[in-house]
Amino acid sequence: MNNMSPEVALHRISPELRPLLCNVVRNGRVGLDSTNCLRVTDLKTGCTSLTPGPCCDRFKLHIPYAGETLKWDIIFNARYPELPPDFIFGEDAEFLPEPSELPHLVHWDAGNPECLLQLVKELIQQYHHYQCQRLRESSRLLFEYDSLLEDPNYGHNMEIYAGRKNSWTGEFSARFLLKLPVDFSNIPVYLLKDTALDPGEDVALLSVSFEDAEATQVFPKLYLSPSIEHALGGSSALHIPAFPSGGCLIDYVPQVCQLLTNKVQYVIQGYHKRREYIAAFLSHFGMGVVEYDAEGFTKLTLLLMWKDFCFLVHVDLPLYFPRDQPTLTFQSVYHFTNSGQLYSQVQKSYPYSPRWDGNEMAKRAKAYFKSFIPQFQEGAFANGKL
Amino acid sequence: MAEPTVRVSGTVLASLMFQHLNSDSDVEGLVLGEGRIEEQVTISDSQADHIHIEETYNVQKHIACHRLNTLYSSTGDLNMEAVQKMLVDNKRESVIGWYRQRRNTEQQMTLREKLIHENLKNVLSNPHMIFLLLTPSKVTPSGSTHRMEYSAFISRSRRFVNVPILITNLGLLEQLAYWKVSTSCSAAGYSLTMKKHGSRFFSSDGLLKEVKEVNSMNESLQVELQKSCRDVEESERLVEALQAEVSSLRRRLKEKQQKEATEEPEPVRSSDQRNVRLQESVSSLSCCPLFCSQTLNLQGFPLPDVSTATQVNADSPPANRNRKRPREEPMGGDRKRRRS
């Protein structure tokens, strides 16, 4: 398989087919996992090798579905670009959708750049029905599907990949991919590492793999979009419970959903609390504020003076503030350590209560500064060098 | 269970490849030929009779579509008018399937091809349609090596089964058994020749005439053999009956002998009686003057002996009535004598 960037693919495709493919690679987000666009590989031509390019008219389309990647061949004809495409559905040789359920195939319009993408979406929908039909091989899994289908929170946002036999045991296996109905809209704006990339929709997907038809080996896994994962503190921050033995999805999924919702709420509250804290410090220390994190409200730096002794105080607010106490780093502006850094001392335990509001925290911090600074000054003179 | 195979002659395959080579696009068309289903029964001592069904599809000809997508719509619905137009000089019954050639694609049927195939089966009322798929591709990036893959597909309960294609050139090398039927040939010249000379060798039902004659002779031989068998059977039965009768008689004789042996001995008179009779007979002879005579007259006739005659009268029992009288020779009769 040769990976290629969308631009390369667009460059090699036959010019008449370019608008169709452009729409797919640029705007093609299908299914629950729409983090990335649809991918195109193995671009080839149906013309003879003597035909000058670009004349590619057939390729493989990679479609994320239920945790798998479907690889479908799409075949056009460069000599007759107005003709509708044809499809080979990879390993799913038995998948044969009803043509009447594919209106964009019935009324193919080569002049409409969105026609191909719409047709692919219709095919995926038919593919989903096909996979749901295959669940009938296991009454247990069919029950799981039917019970989820009845719940509108999950029934309409579900992808199922079924029928693939477990290569080790030969058992019938299936995977459910559910989009959790968690509201992420109030999470603070995420600062992307790479601003060129659009992280896409904020989504949480729960994947539950049944390795056998009797549901004795069930493996759940939670997938979060990058912004959400970062906002919640990374991939290790959230641990979902194991699937209970003898349990069923209709009980388990809401449990995970609630856990995630609580976590999101906590993060949102933490953000507001941090903002409140920073606001209070700005109010109390006024001109003493050197800088602060105006987006995430995670950092604050103060320049203070006590008896002609100037010092900096760096306040680092943790993600789970106010549950976790902010870290205070006192730094002398005169003294250096042997390694050439400014002399500093970190204080993690000082009078603090998560129940205080921002104003109270600022007042108490101010009082602590006054009490600690003589000690710090002595240390700076003793251990640092000018 | 039926095991289908598709046979394509080297000529037809080359023609297909040539057509695609000269086209800058995918090509498709109809395939003409003959489909045959044979039932083979394998008789074995070790297991029950095994019935094996062979489906053979001989591809003899192909008709190319001049333009893609003329026979069907985007959803695979057939355009019968276009199909009829393609089959102008050919019989609809000779259509055994269709083909498609597409470069650089997988050896699998596409969505539309499956739909077209099912519709073609229904429209032409032939559940045994085949689909030939040829997929040439470039093996090396430089284009120095190309590969042509080909296979056939047949639909079974809406599932498409891959069927092996055998290329028949001058003959099939793997054919070890006797040919059951001749290789089919659609050439016009061949058909004309067969029509002209066929009646000399073949009977009306298509069998060789000699075969029919040999069969008749075999039947006659069978009849004669059966007749002989019947005769043998009858004689055997007669022998058996006679043997049974002989055995029965022997058994009765034995029983009688045993019975006689166990009873009192019989008076000697019986045997003596028998001996007396013999004695009487001998005595009669010995007492006969002529018998005992040693004298012959001039004519050679024995003269009676007087002494013997008187002795007989004295002590012999009465003469036997059955005693034969000497034949009286007429004088000068048939008697032969030697004249000295």
Side-chain angles (χ1 to χ4, degrees):
Chain A
M1 187 195 317
N2 50 338
N3 292 326
M4 64 179 72
S5 68
E7 283 66 35
V8 171
L10 288 173
H11 180 69
R12 289 178 56 189
I13 197 86
S14 170
E16 290 85 359
L17 302 173
R18 196 167 289 151
L20 292 165
L21 190 63
C22 183
N23 195 258
V24 167
V25 298
R26 293 255 162 84
N27 306 327
R29 294 179 199 279
V30 298
L32 298 179
D33 183 11
S34 55
T35 311
N36 299 309
C37 276
L38 299 173
R39 204 155 54 90
V40 165
T41 62
D42 294 283
L43 219 57
K44 288 179 184 170
T45 179
C47 304
T48 64
S49 51
L50 299 174
T51 307
C55 58
C56 288
D57 56 4
R58 48 207 60 185
F59 50 88
K60 268 196 185 3
L61 188 65
H62 295 249
I63 305 165
Y65 175 82
E68 297 280 332
T69 302
L70 309 178
K71 299 180 192 66
W72 290 356
D73 287 86
I74 299 183
I75 301 168
F76 280 95
N77 198 296
R79 284 285 164 254
Y80 305 100
E82 71 281 4
L83 296 178
D86 209 349
F87 298 84
I88 297 176
F89 301 112
E91 294 172 351
D92 295 298
E94 293 179 15
F95 172 48
L96 192 62
E98 196 57 46
S100 57
E101 300 294 332
L102 307 170
H104 279 85
L105 180 64
V106 175
H107 307 291
W108 174 255
D109 180 7
N112 178 8
E114 292 185 6
C115 206
L116 178 61
L117 182 60
Q118 295 303 323
L119 177 55
V120 168
K121 285 181 178 175
E122 286 163 6
L123 282 168
I124 290 171
Q125 200 173 11
Q126 292 301 304
Y127 185 76
H128 173 73
H129 291 319
Y130 163 73
Q131 289 289 352
C132 292
Q133 287 292 319
R134 299 193 73 171
L135 277 180
R136 291 177 198 286
E137 283 193 44
S138 165
S139 57
R140 173 73 171 86
L141 297 179
L142 185 63
F143 159 75
E144 295 283 7
Y145 168 70
D146 287 336
S147 55
L148 282 173
L149 197 63
E150 286 172 3
D151 191 326
N153 287 325
Y154 311 111
H156 300 302
N157 294 300
M158 184 167 47
E159 286 175 359
I160 293 163
Y161 190 79
R164 178 69 62 83
K165 292 276 191 292
N166 184 306
S167 58
W168 184 250
T169 64
E171 283 270 3
F172 177 84
S173 63
R175 183 182 299 125
F176 288 72
L177 187 70
L178 297 116
K179 183 176 173 182
L180 298 180
V182 178
D183 182 13
F184 298 112
S185 59
N186 293 322
I187 290 183
V189 174
Y190 170 69
L191 290 171
L192 291 172
K193 286 181 185 178
D194 184 352
T195 54
L197 283 176
D198 177 8
E201 182 192 357
D202 291 330
V203 67
L205 300 174
L206 178 64
S207 164
V208 183
S209 298
F210 292 85
E211 296 297 322
D212 64 324
E214 297 309 314
T216 57
Q217 297 180 62
V218 186
F219 303 102
K221 197 167 164 65
L222 184 66
Y223 295 93
L224 302 170
S225 52
S227 60
I228 303 300
E229 194 171 278
H230 182 82
L232 295 183
S235 58
S236 57
L238 190 66
H239 295 286
I240 57 174
F243 193 86
S245 174
C248 52
L249 283 175
I250 196 60
D251 296 326
Y252 179 75
V253 174
Q255 190 183 349
V256 173
C257 207
Q258 188 60 51
L259 184 71
L260 185 59
T261 303
N262 292 344
K263 201 75 171 183
V264 168
Q265 286 301 318
Y266 203 86
V267 167
I268 293 172
Q269 283 173 10
Y271 169 80
H272 289 296
K273 284 284 185 183
R274 290 198 304 274
R275 189 168 65 174
E276 184 190 327
Y277 182 93
I278 297 291
F281 268 67
L282 288 175
S283 168
H284 279 262
F285 292 95
M287 297 296 289
V289 175
V290 175
E291 60 180 3
Y292 67 94
D293 175 7
E295 281 199 5
F297 304 104
T298 57
K299 280 180 179 302
L300 170 71
T301 301
L302 303 167
L303 176 63
L304 302 172
M305 188 169 72
W306 179 77
K307 291 184 177 178
D308 297 324
F309 176 74
C310 293
F311 58 97
L312 291 164
V313 179
H314 303 281
V315 182
D316 291 291
L317 287 89
L319 182 64
Y320 294 110
F321 173 84
R323 185 193 73 185
D324 298 339
Q325 186 171 356
T327 305
L328 303 176
T329 306
F330 292 85
Q331 199 173 49
S332 168
V333 299
Y334 312 102
H335 302 91
F336 293 87
T337 62
N338 292 331
S339 56
Q341 304 295 319
L342 283 172
Y343 177 81
S344 58
Q345 277 188 28
V346 178
Q347 290 296 318
K348 287 186 180 177
S349 55
Y350 53 86
Y352 173 83
S353 172
R355 287 184 291 278
W356 296 338
D357 61 6
N359 207 30
E360 184 67 26
M361 286 185 186
K363 273 167 45 178
R364 297 284 186 129
K366 200 171 192 178
Y368 176 73
F369 294 160
K370 282 180 183 172
S371 67
F372 179 70
I373 278 303
Q375 181 185 340
F376 175 72
Q377 187 185 27
E378 273 180 38
F381 275 105
N383 300 313
K385 54 185 181 181
L386 293 171
Chain B
M1 191 152 162
E3 289 182 7
T5 53
V6 174
R7 296 182 189 273
V8 180
S9 71
T11 318
V12 171
L13 181 66
S15 170
L16 283 166
M17 292 167 66
F18 184 74
Q19 182 208 351
H20 195 204
L21 197 64
N22 287 287
S23 171
D24 202 18
S25 165
D26 299 340
V27 295
E28 61 194 11
L30 296 175
V31 165
L32 307 185
E34 183 188 43
R36 204 165 57 227
I37 297 176
E38 289 174 336
E39 195 178 277
Q40 288 190 12
V41 180
T42 307
I43 302 169
S44 166
D45 291 335
S46 60
Q47 60 186 12
D49 294 353
H50 178 66
I51 299 174
H52 179 76
I53 299 175
E54 266 188 13
E55 281 182 57
T56 309
Y57 301 94
N58 281 302
V59 176
Q60 296 162 351
K61 196 176 165 181
H62 68 96
I63 305 175
C65 289
H66 296 295
R67 192 187 150 84
L68 283 179
N69 276 50
T70 49
L71 297 181
Y72 47 84
S73 67
S74 60
T75 53
D77 296 322
L78 282 181
N79 182 351
M80 273 317 294
E81 205 179 307
V83 172
Q84 292 293 348
K85 205 174 169 184
M86 268 184 77
L87 290 172
V88 166
D89 297 323
N90 298 283
K91 287 183 194 169
R92 192 165 145 163
E93 292 76 30
S94 61
V95 175
I96 60 168
W98 65 300
Y99 72 91
R100 195 173 168 91
Q101 302 190 65
R102 36 181 168 82
R103 288 189 184 90
N104 298 313
T105 55
E106 301 286 338
Q107 265 284 306
Q108 280 176 265
M109 290 184 77
T110 65
L111 166 63
R112 190 173 301 121
E113 284 164 3
K114 289 179 185 175
L115 295 171
I116 293 167
H117 192 81
E118 291 295 330
N119 289 333
L120 196 65
K121 273 170 54 179
N122 295 332
V123 160
L124 295 181
S125 305
N126 182 355
H128 303 292
M129 283 281 177
I130 62 169
F131 171 65
L132 290 185
L133 177 63
L134 293 90
T135 54
S137 56
K138 201 162 61 173
V139 178
T140 55
S142 62
S144 58
T145 308
H146 292 252
R147 173 173 55 210
M148 162 69 93
E149 290 180 293
Y150 52 87
S151 62
F153 294 87
I154 198 162
S155 170
R156 290 271 185 266
S157 307
R158 289 185 72 84
R159 295 180 71 171
F160 291 87
V161 177
N162 197 309
V163 173
I165 292 183
L166 297 178
I167 307 298
T168 58
N169 284 319
L170 296 178
L172 286 174
L173 296 178
E174 79 278 6
Q175 188 74 20
L176 299 174
Y178 290 109
W179 282 91
K180 292 178 277 296
V181 290
S182 58
T183 308
S184 59
C185 179
S186 64
Y190 174 81
S191 302
L192 199 65
T193 309
M194 289 307 292
K195 210 173 172 183
K196 186 178 172 186
H197 296 281
S199 57
R200 272 198 272 163
F201 301 96
F202 296 95
S203 55
S204 56
D205 57 3
L207 288 176
L208 277 171
K209 280 184 178 173
E210 282 78 8
V211 169
K212 208 171 178 181
E213 297 302 326
V214 167
N215 281 338
S216 300
M217 187 176 74
N218 182 51
E219 280 168 17
S220 303
L221 275 172
Q222 292 290 329
V223 167
E224 293 304 321
L225 190 63
Q226 281 171 4
K227 214 187 287 181
S228 303
C229 285
R230 267 198 298 276
D231 292 342
V232 166
E233 189 188 351
E234 279 173 16
S235 69
E236 288 291 323
R237 286 197 194 284
L238 188 62
V239 164
E240 194 181 337
L242 287 172
Q243 278 180 342
E245 198 179 326
V246 164
S247 300
S248 170
L249 286 170
R250 280 187 180 158
R251 200 166 44 250
R252 280 168 57 190
L253 178 65
K254 195 172 176 185
E255 284 170 5
K256 197 173 178 184
Q257 283 176 347
Q258 282 174 354
K259 193 176 171 185
E260 284 174 0
T262 54
E263 285 177 356
E264 287 179 359
E266 288 180 359
V268 179
R269 192 181 295 174
S270 324
S271 56
D272 289 345
Q273 210 169 11
R274 279 204 302 271
N275 292 338
V276 165
R277 288 190 181 183
L278 183 62
Q279 186 184 3
E280 282 176 6
S281 303
V282 171
S283 299
S284 302
L285 278 173
S286 61
C287 293
C288 177
L290 285 174
F291 184 74
C292 298
S293 172
Q294 292 179 2
T295 310
L296 294 174
N297 59 10
L298 290 173
Q299 284 80 26
F301 190 76
L303 293 172
D305 188 359
V306 177
S307 62
T308 304
T310 52
Q311 190 177 357
V312 166
N313 291 330
D315 57 3
S316 64
N320 193 343
R321 287 182 188 172
N322 293 332
R323 184 174 63 131
K324 289 185 180 175
R325 281 191 310 173
R327 187 175 63 178
E328 291 179 357
E329 294 282 356
M331 297 300 284
D334 298 337
R335 183 168 55 90
K336 290 182 182 178
R337 65 181 177 188
R338 188 179 296 171
R339 290 184 183 268
S340 56

